[in-house]
Amino acid sequence: MKNRYILIVMIFIVAFIVTAGCTNSTQISIDKKTFHMVGNSMSPNINDGDYFSTVSLDNASVQTYQDSQKTGYRSFGDYGDVIAFNAPSGYVIAHRAMYWVEQGQPMWSDGPAAPYSGYITKGDNLEVYDQQGANCKEQPVKTEWIVGIARPL
């Protein structure tokens, strides 16, 4: 029993050390379904240090902010789902799926054409879409990048 306690404490210490060194809005995977939020990009709905789980796309479909405004569906305090995805920057990001774009459509008003179909995403505490910044520069989130749909623990 004592060894098990020591192992659990060591896991939390390692997790703390790893997350303390992250300065971007990255999410650290505790296991394949549980994540730890690092950063304030989703504040006030998911705060720095919060934990959340994910549901596979095999078991759920992504509800976008745009579509959820019509249906009334909300997750983490706002319309639409928060999705965890592997960004081209190398980070796992958890941001809200704002809307779906088809290849060739403008990614936002007066924005460039989408190079392929995918989700336009944004942190609740950010002013611009992820596709306007470094994490997903002009790249919609492909379905195959999605780790899961975030759910409160």
Side-chain angles (χ1 to χ4, degrees):
M1 185 69 168
K2 183 177 179 182
N3 287 343
R4 186 174 176 184
Y5 174 75
I6 291 171
L7 178 62
I8 291 170
V9 169
M10 288 177 66
I11 289 171
F12 280 107
I13 290 171
V14 169
F16 176 77
I17 291 169
V18 169
T19 60
C22 296
T23 57
N24 204 330
S25 62
T26 61
Q27 284 60 294
I28 305 300
S29 177
I30 302 302
D31 59 40
K32 291 183 180 182
K33 293 185 180 183
T34 305
F35 289 81
H36 177 233
M37 177 62 96
V38 177
N40 294 308
S41 64
M42 286 298 295
S43 292
N45 297 312
I46 305 175
N47 295 301
D48 185 31
D50 286 353
Y51 289 86
F52 61 91
S53 64
T54 58
V55 175
S56 166
L57 290 184
D58 295 337
N59 300 317
S61 60
V62 176
Q63 305 297 311
T64 66
Y65 180 92
Q66 184 178 57
D67 291 340
S68 295
Q69 285 183 307
K70 299 169 192 162
T71 65
Y73 171 78
R74 297 172 75 88
S75 177
F76 290 102
D78 207 347
Y79 295 109
D81 280 321
V82 174
I83 56 174
F85 60 93
N86 293 305
S89 65
Y91 294 109
V92 176
I93 305 290
H95 283 169
R96 199 166 302 279
M98 301 304 290
Y99 52 89
W100 176 266
V101 292
E102 295 293 340
Q103 181 178 2
Q105 287 182 324
M107 289 187 279
W108 53 86
S109 181
D110 297 322
Y116 48 80
S117 299
Y119 292 99
I120 301 300
T121 55
K122 181 176 149 324
D124 290 353
N125 195 31
L126 301 177
E127 297 294 322
V128 298
Y129 297 116
D130 295 332
Q131 290 67 32
Q132 293 173 289
N135 284 322
C136 296
K137 185 70 175 167
E138 297 183 5
Q139 297 180 67
V141 174
K142 295 180 180 181
T143 303
E144 57 264 28
W145 296 356
I146 299 174
V147 176
I149 299 170
R151 296 289 188 250
L153 285 178

